């Protein structure tokens, strides 16, 4: 988790302390789901929710890997959703 977040946040104006807080917030959200077994899909969605709030570029970087965009259209659609919100 930490490595993936640092990769998404590379060269972005987010400090290491913020990343540590982000990790704790993500873990807290996952624990609050009450599930004994957590699906990777839930983890990815929680990470993207938090990244979106911290840094939009990092969100797009993470989403492009996590969602495995097949082409530029899928990528563009995600950027457009981000711009609308």
């Amino acid at each position: 988790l930490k490595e993936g977040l640092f990769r998404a946040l590379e060269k972005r104006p987010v400090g290491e302390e913020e990343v540590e807080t982000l990790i704790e917030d993500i873990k807290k959200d996952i624990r609050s789901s009450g599930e004994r077994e957590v699906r990777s899909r839930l983890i990815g969605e929680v990470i993207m929710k938090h990244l979106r709030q911290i840094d939009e570029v990092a969100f797009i970087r993470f989403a492009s890997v996590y969602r495995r965009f097949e082409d530029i259209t899928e990528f563009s659609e995600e950027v457009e959703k981000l711009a609308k919100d």
Side-chain angles (χ1 to χ4, degrees), residues 39-74:
R39 294 176 183 233
S40 59
R41 180 174 180 90
L42 172 66
I43 295 170
E45 294 298 324
V46 170
I47 292 169
M48 287 192 301
K49 178 183 90 171
H50 285 277
L51 269 178
R52 189 175 196 172
Q53 295 169 353
I54 290 182
D55 188 277
E56 293 174 344
V57 171
F59 165 77
I60 290 296
R61 286 177 180 170
F62 187 88
S64 68
V65 173
Y66 174 72
R67 292 193 176 149
R68 296 183 184 135
F69 296 139
E70 295 295 322
D71 57 34
I72 193 71
T73 304
E74 289 180 25

Side-chain angles (χ1 to χ4, degrees), residues 1 3 5-7 11 15 19 21 23-24 30-31 45-47 50 52 54-55 57 65-67 73 77 83 85:
L1 174 60
E3 185 178 318
L5 289 173
F6 275 120
R7 196 171 300 136
K11 297 184 183 179
V19 175
T21 301
I23 290 169
E24 290 306 313
I30 292 169
R31 284 187 197 113
E45 294 298 324
V46 170
I47 292 169
H50 285 277
R52 189 175 196 172
I54 290 182
D55 188 277
V57 171
V65 173
Y66 174 72
R67 292 193 176 149
T73 304
E77 288 170 358
D85 292 341

